[in-house]
Amino acid sequence: MTASADDDGPSHGMSAATLRTLERASGGLASSSIGEMDQLLPWFRRLPADQRASVLLVIQTGAANFVEWLRDPTQAIRLTAEAFRAAPKDFSRWVSLRQTVELVRIAINILEREMPALAADDVERAVLTEAVLRYGREIAFAAATSYAAAAEARGAWDARLEALMVDGIVRGDAEESLLSRAAALGWDPAAEATVLVGASPSDDPPAVVYEVRSRAARIGRPVLLSVQGSRLVVVLAGPVDSPAGHEVLTRMADAFDKGPVVAGPTVAALADAYRSAADALSGLRAVVAWPDAPRPVRSTDLLPERALAGDPEAERQMIEKVVRPLVDVGGSLLETVEAYLEVGGVLESCAKRLFVHPNTVRYRLRRVTELTGYTASDPRDGLVLRMSLAVGRLARARGHW
């Protein structure tokens, strides 16, 4: 304890008798504050007994520190901060900053109402009233500082947890902890997920995180992200296969640096996001072979380039999407599309080669489009069809299907 007001130290001009009276009354003032909180704040009445006791501890500490501050006003910041350091570590988790402001307001109102009556005379009463106001300001700043520190600590922990999650998705880890971590970050594990990869726009990861989160907030989509060296990986929640979804992808691509941005396939849940990440990364490695690729480009649109780069998953998808449907349907569709591509897309030449009418060729090519989603007359789709047929022949020769 510091010296009393009779000593030479600063004491706001309060007499030793008044300081002793205030010290004896501090416990009763804290109890009065708790009683008024119980009357005015319905959420406070619902708190468990241990949490209410923690609030009482903070108020008692603050009241006792107020008396010490009157003895030595130079200790104001230290003593007010101690009131919140005395609280349990999880205090800020079950009492929000808004609720803390309500508690502080009620406690300060009690001090303003009851403390001046404890002063020895009018002069001390005026000094005491001013001291309560100044101390209330210090308490408010201490509360804000305490919650800011807690928020920074949670933010740093959340950022590390998020980086671990995204790293696990990229590595292909399908561990159970992924879903629990996602839930801890407020992500719906059952939501559809799409992974986007590209170059990071900055060497400052916090600035990149802020930019990506700002864009995601404006379009109303949750995201997980990680800056991995010069690469930025973003996991976007929600469907993106509609025109509106494509607009979402385009707006998110603006958060990346110049250069290609590849979006993997949309998967049904976060647990399958590793498949979207694998395809997106494969596409990012191969997109250099398509200089005019759109931005962003879907990994499924890069199947020829990925196959040339040696991606077995791309070869499998080409066989499943193009070759197998044409083989399974039977007839002459496979022969027709091969002949059409072989003659350079000239309809009449293809008809002569097959000894059929041009309208028959047109009908068969429409069927090919219905089965595969690719139009043989389109240059890009024609490349996909040609590459898929070549991959299919190689797979058949190796006995893989």
PDB file of all heavy atoms in Angstrom, residues 58-96:
ATOM      1  N   VAL A  58     -13.770  -8.261 -10.518  1.00  0.00           N
ATOM      2  CA  VAL A  58     -13.274  -7.126 -11.293  1.00  0.00           C
ATOM      3  C   VAL A  58     -13.733  -5.811 -10.667  1.00  0.00           C
ATOM      4  O   VAL A  58     -12.951  -4.862 -10.530  1.00  0.00           O
ATOM      5  CB  VAL A  58     -13.750  -7.238 -12.757  1.00  0.00           C
ATOM      6  CG1 VAL A  58     -13.408  -5.962 -13.529  1.00  0.00           C
ATOM      7  CG2 VAL A  58     -13.114  -8.430 -13.439  1.00  0.00           C
ATOM      8  N   ILE A  59     -15.003  -5.750 -10.252  1.00  0.00           N
ATOM      9  CA  ILE A  59     -15.528  -4.511  -9.676  1.00  0.00           C
ATOM     10  C   ILE A  59     -14.858  -4.214  -8.335  1.00  0.00           C
ATOM     11  O   ILE A  59     -14.485  -3.071  -8.039  1.00  0.00           O
ATOM     12  CB  ILE A  59     -17.056  -4.610  -9.512  1.00  0.00           C
ATOM     13  CG1 ILE A  59     -17.712  -4.756 -10.886  1.00  0.00           C
ATOM     14  CG2 ILE A  59     -17.599  -3.375  -8.803  1.00  0.00           C
ATOM     15  CD1 ILE A  59     -19.197  -5.020 -10.819  1.00  0.00           C
ATOM     16  N   GLN A  60     -14.685  -5.238  -7.502  1.00  0.00           N
ATOM     17  CA  GLN A  60     -14.013  -5.028  -6.214  1.00  0.00           C
ATOM     18  C   GLN A  60     -12.588  -4.548  -6.423  1.00  0.00           C
ATOM     19  O   GLN A  60     -12.117  -3.639  -5.719  1.00  0.00           O
ATOM     20  CB  GLN A  60     -14.036  -6.331  -5.403  1.00  0.00           C
ATOM     21  CG  GLN A  60     -15.395  -6.693  -4.842  1.00  0.00           C
ATOM     22  CD  GLN A  60     -15.390  -8.035  -4.141  1.00  0.00           C
ATOM     23  OE1 GLN A  60     -14.572  -8.906  -4.457  1.00  0.00           O
ATOM     24  NE2 GLN A  60     -16.319  -8.220  -3.211  1.00  0.00           N
ATOM     25  N   THR A  61     -11.901  -5.158  -7.381  1.00  0.00           N
ATOM     26  CA  THR A  61     -10.529  -4.734  -7.658  1.00  0.00           C
ATOM     27  C   THR A  61     -10.501  -3.295  -8.144  1.00  0.00           C
ATOM     28  O   THR A  61      -9.659  -2.493  -7.734  1.00  0.00           O
ATOM     29  CB  THR A  61      -9.880  -5.656  -8.710  1.00  0.00           C
ATOM     30  OG1 THR A  61      -9.948  -7.002  -8.264  1.00  0.00           O
ATOM     31  CG2 THR A  61      -8.425  -5.278  -8.945  1.00  0.00           C
ATOM     32  N   GLY A  62     -11.450  -2.948  -9.040  1.00  0.00           N
ATOM     33  CA  GLY A  62     -11.498  -1.586  -9.539  1.00  0.00           C
ATOM     34  C   GLY A  62     -11.803  -0.582  -8.439  1.00  0.00           C
ATOM     35  O   GLY A  62     -11.198   0.495  -8.391  1.00  0.00           O
ATOM     36  N   ALA A  63     -12.728  -0.926  -7.529  1.00  0.00           N
ATOM     37  CA  ALA A  63     -13.058  -0.003  -6.433  1.00  0.00           C
ATOM     38  C   ALA A  63     -11.879   0.181  -5.487  1.00  0.00           C
ATOM     39  O   ALA A  63     -11.574   1.299  -5.046  1.00  0.00           O
ATOM     40  CB  ALA A  63     -14.278  -0.526  -5.673  1.00  0.00           C
ATOM     41  N   ALA A  64     -11.207  -0.932  -5.157  1.00  0.00           N
ATOM     42  CA  ALA A  64     -10.036  -0.834  -4.282  1.00  0.00           C
ATOM     43  C   ALA A  64      -8.926  -0.034  -4.945  1.00  0.00           C
ATOM     44  O   ALA A  64      -8.240   0.778  -4.302  1.00  0.00           O
ATOM     45  CB  ALA A  64      -9.547  -2.236  -3.917  1.00  0.00           C
ATOM     46  N   ASN A  65      -8.756  -0.250  -6.241  1.00  0.00           N
ATOM     47  CA  ASN A  65      -7.725   0.491  -6.959  1.00  0.00           C
ATOM     48  C   ASN A  65      -8.051   1.972  -7.050  1.00  0.00           C
ATOM     49  O   ASN A  65      -7.151   2.806  -7.141  1.00  0.00           O
ATOM     50  CB  ASN A  65      -7.556  -0.088  -8.374  1.00  0.00           C
ATOM     51  CG  ASN A  65      -6.894  -1.453  -8.364  1.00  0.00           C
ATOM     52  OD1 ASN A  65      -6.304  -1.857  -7.358  1.00  0.00           O
ATOM     53  ND2 ASN A  65      -7.000  -2.176  -9.466  1.00  0.00           N
ATOM     54  N   PHE A  66      -9.345   2.288  -7.050  1.00  0.00           N
ATOM     55  CA  PHE A  66      -9.726   3.687  -7.077  1.00  0.00           C
ATOM     56  C   PHE A  66      -9.230   4.410  -5.826  1.00  0.00           C
ATOM     57  O   PHE A  66      -8.729   5.527  -5.897  1.00  0.00           O
ATOM     58  CB  PHE A  66     -11.245   3.804  -7.196  1.00  0.00           C
ATOM     59  CG  PHE A  66     -11.751   5.221  -7.134  1.00  0.00           C
ATOM     60  CD1 PHE A  66     -11.492   6.115  -8.154  1.00  0.00           C
ATOM     61  CD2 PHE A  66     -12.489   5.654  -6.043  1.00  0.00           C
ATOM     62  CE1 PHE A  66     -11.957   7.422  -8.101  1.00  0.00           C
ATOM     63  CE2 PHE A  66     -12.949   6.957  -5.973  1.00  0.00           C
ATOM     64  CZ  PHE A  66     -12.695   7.842  -7.013  1.00  0.00           C
ATOM     65  N   VAL A  67      -9.372   3.751  -4.695  1.00  0.00           N
ATOM     66  CA  VAL A  67      -8.878   4.351  -3.448  1.00  0.00           C
ATOM     67  C   VAL A  67      -7.361   4.506  -3.505  1.00  0.00           C
ATOM     68  O   VAL A  67      -6.813   5.542  -3.100  1.00  0.00           O
ATOM     69  CB  VAL A  67      -9.296   3.495  -2.236  1.00  0.00           C
ATOM     70  CG1 VAL A  67      -8.749   4.084  -0.944  1.00  0.00           C
ATOM     71  CG2 VAL A  67     -10.820   3.389  -2.159  1.00  0.00           C
ATOM     72  N   GLU A  68      -6.670   3.488  -4.029  1.00  0.00           N
ATOM     73  CA  GLU A  68      -5.214   3.587  -4.153  1.00  0.00           C
ATOM     74  C   GLU A  68      -4.830   4.711  -5.102  1.00  0.00           C
ATOM     75  O   GLU A  68      -3.823   5.392  -4.899  1.00  0.00           O
ATOM     76  CB  GLU A  68      -4.650   2.253  -4.656  1.00  0.00           C
ATOM     77  CG  GLU A  68      -4.752   1.127  -3.654  1.00  0.00           C
ATOM     78  CD  GLU A  68      -4.009   1.459  -2.365  1.00  0.00           C
ATOM     79  OE1 GLU A  68      -2.856   1.953  -2.449  1.00  0.00           O
ATOM     80  OE2 GLU A  68      -4.582   1.270  -1.282  1.00  0.00           O
ATOM     81  N   TRP A  69      -5.639   4.887  -6.174  1.00  0.00           N
ATOM     82  CA  TRP A  69      -5.345   5.967  -7.114  1.00  0.00           C
ATOM     83  C   TRP A  69      -5.523   7.329  -6.444  1.00  0.00           C
ATOM     84  O   TRP A  69      -4.801   8.277  -6.748  1.00  0.00           O
ATOM     85  CB  TRP A  69      -6.274   5.824  -8.310  1.00  0.00           C
ATOM     86  CG  TRP A  69      -6.109   6.902  -9.342  1.00  0.00           C
ATOM     87  CD1 TRP A  69      -5.012   7.150 -10.114  1.00  0.00           C
ATOM     88  CD2 TRP A  69      -7.082   7.879  -9.718  1.00  0.00           C
ATOM     89  NE1 TRP A  69      -5.239   8.201 -10.955  1.00  0.00           N
ATOM     90  CE2 TRP A  69      -6.511   8.674 -10.734  1.00  0.00           C
ATOM     91  CE3 TRP A  69      -8.383   8.142  -9.305  1.00  0.00           C
ATOM     92  CZ2 TRP A  69      -7.196   9.722 -11.342  1.00  0.00           C
ATOM     93  CZ3 TRP A  69      -9.068   9.184  -9.908  1.00  0.00           C
ATOM     94  CH2 TRP A  69      -8.473   9.965 -10.908  1.00  0.00           C
ATOM     95  N   LEU A  70      -6.518   7.439  -5.549  1.00  0.00           N
ATOM     96  CA  LEU A  70      -6.685   8.694  -4.824  1.00  0.00           C
ATOM     97  C   LEU A  70      -5.470   8.986  -3.949  1.00  0.00           C
ATOM     98  O   LEU A  70      -5.073  10.137  -3.779  1.00  0.00           O
ATOM     99  CB  LEU A  70      -7.942   8.640  -3.961  1.00  0.00           C
ATOM    100  CG  LEU A  70      -9.294   8.651  -4.702  1.00  0.00           C
ATOM    101  CD1 LEU A  70     -10.435   8.492  -3.715  1.00  0.00           C
ATOM    102  CD2 LEU A  70      -9.451   9.930  -5.513  1.00  0.00           C
ATOM    103  N   ARG A  71      -4.864   7.915  -3.413  1.00  0.00           N
ATOM    104  CA  ARG A  71      -3.648   8.114  -2.618  1.00  0.00           C
ATOM    105  C   ARG A  71      -2.481   8.532  -3.504  1.00  0.00           C
ATOM    106  O   ARG A  71      -1.664   9.375  -3.122  1.00  0.00           O
ATOM    107  CB  ARG A  71      -3.284   6.831  -1.873  1.00  0.00           C
ATOM    108  CG  ARG A  71      -4.308   6.373  -0.846  1.00  0.00           C
ATOM    109  CD  ARG A  71      -3.795   5.113  -0.154  1.00  0.00           C
ATOM    110  NE  ARG A  71      -4.809   4.502   0.671  1.00  0.00           N
ATOM    111  CZ  ARG A  71      -5.084   4.875   1.927  1.00  0.00           C
ATOM    112  NH1 ARG A  71      -4.428   5.872   2.477  1.00  0.00           N
ATOM    113  NH2 ARG A  71      -6.026   4.266   2.608  1.00  0.00           N
ATOM    114  N   ASP A  72      -2.382   7.883  -4.690  1.00  0.00           N
ATOM    115  CA  ASP A  72      -1.260   8.156  -5.590  1.00  0.00           C
ATOM    116  C   ASP A  72      -1.776   8.151  -7.020  1.00  0.00           C
ATOM    117  O   ASP A  72      -1.844   7.107  -7.663  1.00  0.00           O
ATOM    118  CB  ASP A  72      -0.164   7.089  -5.414  1.00  0.00           C
ATOM    119  CG  ASP A  72       1.069   7.389  -6.262  1.00  0.00           C
ATOM    120  OD1 ASP A  72       1.057   8.407  -6.993  1.00  0.00           O
ATOM    121  OD2 ASP A  72       2.032   6.606  -6.203  1.00  0.00           O
ATOM    122  N   PRO A  73      -2.184   9.296  -7.576  1.00  0.00           N
ATOM    123  CA  PRO A  73      -2.791   9.343  -8.914  1.00  0.00           C
ATOM    124  C   PRO A  73      -1.858   8.922 -10.040  1.00  0.00           C
ATOM    125  O   PRO A  73      -2.306   8.661 -11.146  1.00  0.00           O
ATOM    126  CB  PRO A  73      -3.207  10.810  -9.068  1.00  0.00           C
ATOM    127  CG  PRO A  73      -2.354  11.567  -8.096  1.00  0.00           C
ATOM    128  CD  PRO A  73      -2.119  10.637  -6.943  1.00  0.00           C
ATOM    129  N   THR A  74      -0.552   8.850  -9.790  1.00  0.00           N
ATOM    130  CA  THR A  74       0.379   8.431 -10.850  1.00  0.00           C
ATOM    131  C   THR A  74       0.226   6.953 -11.181  1.00  0.00           C
ATOM    132  O   THR A  74       0.745   6.491 -12.195  1.00  0.00           O
ATOM    133  CB  THR A  74       1.827   8.696 -10.430  1.00  0.00           C
ATOM    134  OG1 THR A  74       2.124   7.930  -9.254  1.00  0.00           O
ATOM    135  CG2 THR A  74       2.052  10.167 -10.139  1.00  0.00           C
ATOM    136  N   GLN A  75      -0.474   6.169 -10.353  1.00  0.00           N
ATOM    137  CA  GLN A  75      -0.641   4.746 -10.582  1.00  0.00           C
ATOM    138  C   GLN A  75      -1.912   4.413 -11.383  1.00  0.00           C
ATOM    139  O   GLN A  75      -2.260   3.255 -11.521  1.00  0.00           O
ATOM    140  CB  GLN A  75      -0.726   3.996  -9.247  1.00  0.00           C
ATOM    141  CG  GLN A  75       0.503   4.158  -8.372  1.00  0.00           C
ATOM    142  CD  GLN A  75       0.403   3.276  -7.152  1.00  0.00           C
ATOM    143  OE1 GLN A  75       0.196   2.068  -7.267  1.00  0.00           O
ATOM    144  NE2 GLN A  75       0.537   3.876  -5.981  1.00  0.00           N
ATOM    145  N   ALA A  76      -2.585   5.415 -11.933  1.00  0.00           N
ATOM    146  CA  ALA A  76      -3.912   5.196 -12.525  1.00  0.00           C
ATOM    147  C   ALA A  76      -3.918   4.099 -13.584  1.00  0.00           C
ATOM    148  O   ALA A  76      -4.716   3.168 -13.527  1.00  0.00           O
ATOM    149  CB  ALA A  76      -4.420   6.504 -13.142  1.00  0.00           C
ATOM    150  N   ILE A  77      -3.017   4.193 -14.536  1.00  0.00           N
ATOM    151  CA  ILE A  77      -3.065   3.235 -15.642  1.00  0.00           C
ATOM    152  C   ILE A  77      -2.757   1.832 -15.144  1.00  0.00           C
ATOM    153  O   ILE A  77      -3.423   0.864 -15.482  1.00  0.00           O
ATOM    154  CB  ILE A  77      -2.080   3.656 -16.749  1.00  0.00           C
ATOM    155  CG1 ILE A  77      -2.517   4.984 -17.357  1.00  0.00           C
ATOM    156  CG2 ILE A  77      -1.982   2.586 -17.824  1.00  0.00           C
ATOM    157  CD1 ILE A  77      -1.573   5.510 -18.422  1.00  0.00           C
ATOM    158  N   ARG A  78      -1.760   1.683 -14.312  1.00  0.00           N
ATOM    159  CA  ARG A  78      -1.400   0.354 -13.824  1.00  0.00           C
ATOM    160  C   ARG A  78      -2.533  -0.267 -13.030  1.00  0.00           C
ATOM    161  O   ARG A  78      -2.878  -1.443 -13.219  1.00  0.00           O
ATOM    162  CB  ARG A  78      -0.135   0.443 -12.951  1.00  0.00           C
ATOM    163  CG  ARG A  78       0.291  -0.902 -12.389  1.00  0.00           C
ATOM    164  CD  ARG A  78       1.514  -0.746 -11.529  1.00  0.00           C
ATOM    165  NE  ARG A  78       1.237  -0.005 -10.316  1.00  0.00           N
ATOM    166  CZ  ARG A  78       0.719  -0.530  -9.216  1.00  0.00           C
ATOM    167  NH1 ARG A  78       0.370  -1.809  -9.200  1.00  0.00           N
ATOM    168  NH2 ARG A  78       0.501   0.198  -8.157  1.00  0.00           N
ATOM    169  N   LEU A  79      -3.147   0.500 -12.168  1.00  0.00           N
ATOM    170  CA  LEU A  79      -4.173  -0.064 -11.295  1.00  0.00           C
ATOM    171  C   LEU A  79      -5.443  -0.416 -12.069  1.00  0.00           C
ATOM    172  O   LEU A  79      -6.063  -1.434 -11.810  1.00  0.00           O
ATOM    173  CB  LEU A  79      -4.489   0.923 -10.169  1.00  0.00           C
ATOM    174  CG  LEU A  79      -3.364   1.075  -9.122  1.00  0.00           C
ATOM    175  CD1 LEU A  79      -3.712   2.188  -8.153  1.00  0.00           C
ATOM    176  CD2 LEU A  79      -3.140  -0.219  -8.383  1.00  0.00           C
ATOM    177  N   THR A  80      -5.829   0.430 -13.022  1.00  0.00           N
ATOM    178  CA  THR A  80      -7.031   0.095 -13.784  1.00  0.00           C
ATOM    179  C   THR A  80      -6.796  -1.127 -14.644  1.00  0.00           C
ATOM    180  O   THR A  80      -7.689  -1.951 -14.834  1.00  0.00           O
ATOM    181  CB  THR A  80      -7.453   1.279 -14.670  1.00  0.00           C
ATOM    182  OG1 THR A  80      -6.332   1.711 -15.449  1.00  0.00           O
ATOM    183  CG2 THR A  80      -7.953   2.431 -13.833  1.00  0.00           C
ATOM    184  N   ALA A  81      -5.614  -1.284 -15.202  1.00  0.00           N
ATOM    185  CA  ALA A  81      -5.322  -2.471 -16.001  1.00  0.00           C
ATOM    186  C   ALA A  81      -5.340  -3.722 -15.145  1.00  0.00           C
ATOM    187  O   ALA A  81      -5.775  -4.794 -15.578  1.00  0.00           O
ATOM    188  CB  ALA A  81      -3.964  -2.324 -16.690  1.00  0.00           C
ATOM    189  N   GLU A  82      -4.894  -3.597 -13.882  1.00  0.00           N
ATOM    190  CA  GLU A  82      -4.890  -4.761 -12.988  1.00  0.00           C
ATOM    191  C   GLU A  82      -6.304  -5.270 -12.735  1.00  0.00           C
ATOM    192  O   GLU A  82      -6.518  -6.460 -12.524  1.00  0.00           O
ATOM    193  CB  GLU A  82      -4.234  -4.391 -11.662  1.00  0.00           C
ATOM    194  CG  GLU A  82      -2.706  -4.359 -11.739  1.00  0.00           C
ATOM    195  CD  GLU A  82      -2.094  -3.964 -10.415  1.00  0.00           C
ATOM    196  OE1 GLU A  82      -2.862  -3.661  -9.478  1.00  0.00           O
ATOM    197  OE2 GLU A  82      -0.861  -3.959 -10.320  1.00  0.00           O
ATOM    198  N   ALA A  83      -7.294  -4.380 -12.767  1.00  0.00           N
ATOM    199  CA  ALA A  83      -8.668  -4.818 -12.535  1.00  0.00           C
ATOM    200  C   ALA A  83      -9.087  -5.843 -13.574  1.00  0.00           C
ATOM    201  O   ALA A  83      -9.794  -6.802 -13.265  1.00  0.00           O
ATOM    202  CB  ALA A  83      -9.613  -3.614 -12.570  1.00  0.00           C
ATOM    203  N   PHE A  84      -8.641  -5.679 -14.806  1.00  0.00           N
ATOM    204  CA  PHE A  84      -9.010  -6.626 -15.860  1.00  0.00           C
ATOM    205  C   PHE A  84      -8.049  -7.801 -15.920  1.00  0.00           C
ATOM    206  O   PHE A  84      -8.436  -8.885 -16.329  1.00  0.00           O
ATOM    207  CB  PHE A  84      -9.082  -5.898 -17.203  1.00  0.00           C
ATOM    208  CG  PHE A  84     -10.259  -4.981 -17.301  1.00  0.00           C
ATOM    209  CD1 PHE A  84     -10.141  -3.646 -16.952  1.00  0.00           C
ATOM    210  CD2 PHE A  84     -11.493  -5.458 -17.702  1.00  0.00           C
ATOM    211  CE1 PHE A  84     -11.233  -2.798 -17.019  1.00  0.00           C
ATOM    212  CE2 PHE A  84     -12.596  -4.617 -17.766  1.00  0.00           C
ATOM    213  CZ  PHE A  84     -12.467  -3.286 -17.414  1.00  0.00           C
ATOM    214  N   ARG A  85      -6.813  -7.604 -15.522  1.00  0.00           N
ATOM    215  CA  ARG A  85      -5.885  -8.745 -15.484  1.00  0.00           C
ATOM    216  C   ARG A  85      -6.281  -9.730 -14.407  1.00  0.00           C
ATOM    217  O   ARG A  85      -5.951 -10.916 -14.482  1.00  0.00           O
ATOM    218  CB  ARG A  85      -4.452  -8.249 -15.251  1.00  0.00           C
ATOM    219  CG  ARG A  85      -3.803  -7.675 -16.491  1.00  0.00           C
ATOM    220  CD  ARG A  85      -2.294  -7.677 -16.336  1.00  0.00           C
ATOM    221  NE  ARG A  85      -1.845  -6.792 -15.271  1.00  0.00           N
ATOM    222  CZ  ARG A  85      -1.486  -5.531 -15.459  1.00  0.00           C
ATOM    223  NH1 ARG A  85      -1.537  -5.002 -16.674  1.00  0.00           N
ATOM    224  NH2 ARG A  85      -1.077  -4.789 -14.466  1.00  0.00           N
ATOM    225  N   ALA A  86      -7.006  -9.268 -13.387  1.00  0.00           N
ATOM    226  CA  ALA A  86      -7.431 -10.172 -12.318  1.00  0.00           C
ATOM    227  C   ALA A  86      -8.553 -11.087 -12.760  1.00  0.00           C
ATOM    228  O   ALA A  86      -8.831 -12.097 -12.113  1.00  0.00           O
ATOM    229  CB  ALA A  86      -7.883  -9.363 -11.093  1.00  0.00           C
ATOM    230  N   ALA A  87      -9.225 -10.744 -13.858  1.00  0.00           N
ATOM    231  CA  ALA A  87     -10.345 -11.562 -14.340  1.00  0.00           C
ATOM    232  C   ALA A  87      -9.828 -12.836 -14.997  1.00  0.00           C
ATOM    233  O   ALA A  87      -8.674 -12.905 -15.416  1.00  0.00           O
ATOM    234  CB  ALA A  87     -11.171 -10.761 -15.341  1.00  0.00           C
ATOM    235  N   PRO A  88     -10.666 -13.864 -15.097  1.00  0.00           N
ATOM    236  CA  PRO A  88     -10.250 -15.084 -15.788  1.00  0.00           C
ATOM    237  C   PRO A  88      -9.883 -14.794 -17.237  1.00  0.00           C
ATOM    238  O   PRO A  88     -10.351 -13.834 -17.838  1.00  0.00           O
ATOM    239  CB  PRO A  88     -11.502 -15.980 -15.698  1.00  0.00           C
ATOM    240  CG  PRO A  88     -12.278 -15.443 -14.546  1.00  0.00           C
ATOM    241  CD  PRO A  88     -12.000 -13.979 -14.508  1.00  0.00           C
ATOM    242  N   LYS A  89      -9.031 -15.671 -17.812  1.00  0.00           N
ATOM    243  CA  LYS A  89      -8.547 -15.462 -19.172  1.00  0.00           C
ATOM    244  C   LYS A  89      -9.676 -15.469 -20.196  1.00  0.00           C
ATOM    245  O   LYS A  89      -9.578 -14.830 -21.230  1.00  0.00           O
ATOM    246  CB  LYS A  89      -7.512 -16.540 -19.526  1.00  0.00           C
ATOM    247  CG  LYS A  89      -6.254 -16.502 -18.662  1.00  0.00           C
ATOM    248  CD  LYS A  89      -5.514 -15.196 -18.836  1.00  0.00           C
ATOM    249  CE  LYS A  89      -4.216 -15.190 -18.029  1.00  0.00           C
ATOM    250  NZ  LYS A  89      -3.521 -13.886 -18.131  1.00  0.00           N
ATOM    251  N   ASP A  90     -10.734 -16.217 -19.919  1.00  0.00           N
ATOM    252  CA  ASP A  90     -11.820 -16.317 -20.896  1.00  0.00           C
ATOM    253  C   ASP A  90     -12.927 -15.304 -20.616  1.00  0.00           C
ATOM    254  O   ASP A  90     -14.036 -15.433 -21.134  1.00  0.00           O
ATOM    255  CB  ASP A  90     -12.407 -17.726 -20.904  1.00  0.00           C
ATOM    256  CG  ASP A  90     -12.973 -18.127 -19.544  1.00  0.00           C
ATOM    257  OD1 ASP A  90     -12.683 -17.422 -18.562  1.00  0.00           O
ATOM    258  OD2 ASP A  90     -13.681 -19.145 -19.480  1.00  0.00           O
ATOM    259  N   PHE A  91     -12.645 -14.267 -19.801  1.00  0.00           N
ATOM    260  CA  PHE A  91     -13.657 -13.260 -19.463  1.00  0.00           C
ATOM    261  C   PHE A  91     -14.228 -12.630 -20.729  1.00  0.00           C
ATOM    262  O   PHE A  91     -15.447 -12.453 -20.865  1.00  0.00           O
ATOM    263  CB  PHE A  91     -13.026 -12.179 -18.576  1.00  0.00           C
ATOM    264  CG  PHE A  91     -14.008 -11.148 -18.069  1.00  0.00           C
ATOM    265  CD1 PHE A  91     -14.696 -11.331 -16.888  1.00  0.00           C
ATOM    266  CD2 PHE A  91     -14.249  -9.982 -18.790  1.00  0.00           C
ATOM    267  CE1 PHE A  91     -15.598 -10.388 -16.419  1.00  0.00           C
ATOM    268  CE2 PHE A  91     -15.142  -9.034 -18.337  1.00  0.00           C
ATOM    269  CZ  PHE A  91     -15.820  -9.236 -17.148  1.00  0.00           C
ATOM    270  N   SER A  92     -13.357 -12.287 -21.675  1.00  0.00           N
ATOM    271  CA  SER A  92     -13.807 -11.611 -22.886  1.00  0.00           C
ATOM    272  C   SER A  92     -14.570 -12.534 -23.822  1.00  0.00           C
ATOM    273  O   SER A  92     -15.175 -12.075 -24.792  1.00  0.00           O
ATOM    274  CB  SER A  92     -12.606 -11.016 -23.638  1.00  0.00           C
ATOM    275  OG  SER A  92     -11.701 -12.038 -24.019  1.00  0.00           O
ATOM    276  N   ARG A  93     -14.563 -13.841 -23.551  1.00  0.00           N
ATOM    277  CA  ARG A  93     -15.292 -14.773 -24.409  1.00  0.00           C
ATOM    278  C   ARG A  93     -16.771 -14.838 -24.051  1.00  0.00           C
ATOM    279  O   ARG A  93     -17.609 -15.008 -24.926  1.00  0.00           O
ATOM    280  CB  ARG A  93     -14.663 -16.172 -24.334  1.00  0.00           C
ATOM    281  CG  ARG A  93     -13.277 -16.242 -24.960  1.00  0.00           C
ATOM    282  CD  ARG A  93     -12.776 -17.672 -24.998  1.00  0.00           C
ATOM    283  NE  ARG A  93     -11.471 -17.763 -25.625  1.00  0.00           N
ATOM    284  CZ  ARG A  93     -11.268 -17.877 -26.929  1.00  0.00           C
ATOM    285  NH1 ARG A  93     -12.315 -17.934 -27.726  1.00  0.00           N
ATOM    286  NH2 ARG A  93     -10.062 -17.951 -27.435  1.00  0.00           N
ATOM    287  N   TRP A  94     -17.090 -14.743 -22.738  1.00  0.00           N
ATOM    288  CA  TRP A  94     -18.491 -14.848 -22.362  1.00  0.00           C
ATOM    289  C   TRP A  94     -19.119 -13.519 -21.982  1.00  0.00           C
ATOM    290  O   TRP A  94     -20.314 -13.447 -21.709  1.00  0.00           O
ATOM    291  CB  TRP A  94     -18.689 -15.866 -21.240  1.00  0.00           C
ATOM    292  CG  TRP A  94     -17.698 -15.855 -20.108  1.00  0.00           C
ATOM    293  CD1 TRP A  94     -16.589 -16.633 -19.978  1.00  0.00           C
ATOM    294  CD2 TRP A  94     -17.730 -15.035 -18.930  1.00  0.00           C
ATOM    295  NE1 TRP A  94     -15.922 -16.351 -18.810  1.00  0.00           N
ATOM    296  CE2 TRP A  94     -16.608 -15.387 -18.137  1.00  0.00           C
ATOM    297  CE3 TRP A  94     -18.588 -14.055 -18.467  1.00  0.00           C
ATOM    298  CZ2 TRP A  94     -16.310 -14.781 -16.931  1.00  0.00           C
ATOM    299  CZ3 TRP A  94     -18.303 -13.444 -17.250  1.00  0.00           C
ATOM    300  CH2 TRP A  94     -17.177 -13.815 -16.504  1.00  0.00           C
ATOM    301  N   VAL A  95     -18.331 -12.431 -21.975  1.00  0.00           N
ATOM    302  CA  VAL A  95     -18.872 -11.082 -21.810  1.00  0.00           C
ATOM    303  C   VAL A  95     -18.315 -10.243 -22.957  1.00  0.00           C
ATOM    304  O   VAL A  95     -17.111 -10.034 -23.044  1.00  0.00           O
ATOM    305  CB  VAL A  95     -18.488 -10.466 -20.454  1.00  0.00           C
ATOM    306  CG1 VAL A  95     -19.022  -9.035 -20.357  1.00  0.00           C
ATOM    307  CG2 VAL A  95     -19.023 -11.298 -19.308  1.00  0.00           C
ATOM    308  N   SER A  96     -19.181  -9.783 -23.844  1.00  0.00           N
ATOM    309  CA  SER A  96     -18.733  -9.032 -25.006  1.00  0.00           C
ATOM    310  C   SER A  96     -18.299  -7.629 -24.598  1.00  0.00           C
ATOM    311  O   SER A  96     -18.558  -7.166 -23.474  1.00  0.00           O
ATOM    312  CB  SER A  96     -19.864  -8.944 -26.035  1.00  0.00           C
ATOM    313  OG  SER A  96     -20.920  -8.148 -25.536  1.00  0.00           O
TER     314      SER A  96
END
